[in-house]
Amino acid sequence: AQTVTQSQPEMSVQEAETVTLSCTYDTSENNYYLFWYKQPPSRQMILVIRQEAYKQQNATENRFSVNFQKAAKSFSLKISDSQLGDTAMYFCAFTGGTSYGKLTFGQGTILTVHP
Amino acid sequence: DTGVSQDPRHKITKRGQNVTFRCDPISEHNRLYWYRQTLGQGPEFLTYFQNEAQLEKSRLLSDRFSAERPKGSFSTLEIQRTEQGDSAMYLCASSSSSGGFGNTIYFGEGSWLTVV
């Protein structure tokens, strides 16, 4: 079974600064994807960024980038130039080749961006 | 494309009553998932459909829970004889199976259930 762990229940950052959210996972699968999802207060969860395990290059999406360390089973999210709209709960999630897309989520990190 | 829609968005029910939630996935998506999320926690997988076939059920899904997806379109999740521990947000999500297992899963806004 796969597990996903987010060890930071809450984080805060000043607007325009950079913040990094941590995630570790455990799996015996070789073929998998990792995701970061954002869930704003009272709004639906949306995908922030995705990383394929067999790709060595770290994924980036505008101000969002990941640091994927496969051997260490670590998958952190860096948010640059933080904006007030980034305030949300962030979930790290995993899906493996045998899971037909089913996601296993971490516990989440509440990120607050202060003006 | 109107996204994944869920109905009702909020439901308050008395313990012991039955409730049913409906999910309409993105129209071209053949995969549909139900998750449960309690306050401050990550979503937990409940069940999964590919087209009309229910291919997996979590052990979290007791006998009081049943899900259907007739004709492979919308889905319903019914909870019979509700208990206070059933209070949670029930999330529906959908995705396409074409192109592999890493496709983006799109979530609805969820259906909040409060059992009093």
Side-chain angles (χ1 to χ4, degrees):
Chain A
Q2 296 85 14
T3 59
V4 178
T5 302
Q6 294 177 248
S7 58
Q8 304 156 313
E10 295 186 41
M11 294 281 285
S12 63
V13 65
Q14 292 297 125
E15 197 174 8
E17 294 189 346
T18 295
V19 64
T20 298
L21 308 184
S22 301
C23 172
T24 57
Y25 62 95
D26 192 23
T27 183
S28 57
E29 298 202 45
N30 292 317
N31 191 17
Y32 55 87
Y33 283 78
L34 294 160
F35 306 82
W36 279 98
Y37 274 84
K38 168 185 177 181
Q39 188 176 41
S42 302
R43 298 190 65 184
Q44 70 195 109
M45 197 158 350
I46 57 173
L47 178 67
V48 174
I49 198 164
R50 168 179 41 216
Q51 175 77 43
E52 301 172 69
Y54 64 86
K55 286 192 174 179
Q56 293 185 333
Q57 187 173 5
N58 288 325
T60 61
E61 288 286 343
N62 300 315
R63 299 182 295 107
F64 299 88
S65 61
V66 298
N67 183 2
F68 174 48
Q69 301 290 324
K70 190 172 183 179
K73 294 181 178 174
S74 168
F75 182 61
S76 61
L77 174 70
K78 186 171 82 171
I79 306 173
S80 304
D81 186 25
S82 297
Q83 300 175 359
L84 297 178
D86 295 333
T87 293
M89 180 82 119
Y90 286 81
F91 291 100
C92 179
F94 169 101
T95 190
T98 59
S99 303
Y100 37 75
K102 179 183 76 175
L103 293 171
T104 299
F105 287 88
Q107 304 92 321
T109 297
I110 299 172
L111 174 67
T112 304
V113 180
H114 297 286
Chain B
D1 182 355
T2 57
V4 179
S5 62
Q6 294 188 240
D7 182 70
R9 294 289 318 283
H10 301 273
K11 178 73 175 178
I12 300 174
T13 191
K14 291 183 178 179
R15 185 165 53 94
Q17 297 294 304
N18 299 345
V19 297
T20 299
F21 299 113
R22 176 182 170 122
C23 171
D24 287 273
I26 293 172
S27 58
E28 63 268 26
H29 286 177
N30 58 342
R31 289 178 170 168
L32 187 146
Y33 311 83
W34 284 99
Y35 287 83
R36 180 168 66 190
Q37 185 178 19
T38 53
L39 210 59
Q41 299 296 315
E44 296 174 295
F45 170 78
L46 291 179
T47 190
Y48 157 70
F49 290 86
Q50 180 144 327
N51 301 311
E52 66 275 8
Q54 187 175 19
L55 297 186
E56 185 176 345
K57 290 171 60 173
S58 163
R59 281 174 288 180
L60 291 174
L61 216 63
S62 75
D63 291 344
R64 298 183 297 104
F65 287 72
S66 63
E68 294 182 341
R69 193 183 182 195
K71 304 179 183 177
S73 56
F74 72 92
S75 176
T76 58
L77 176 68
E78 181 183 18
I79 309 173
Q80 296 182 325
R81 305 181 304 281
T82 52
E83 302 173 356
Q84 288 190 322
D86 298 332
S87 295
M89 182 163 68
Y90 291 85
L91 285 167
C92 180
S94 72
S95 71
S96 169
S97 62
S98 65
F101 66 94
N103 292 337
T104 299
I105 294 180
Y106 295 86
F107 285 83
E109 295 192 55
S111 292
W112 277 104
L113 173 65
T114 302
V115 182
V116 297

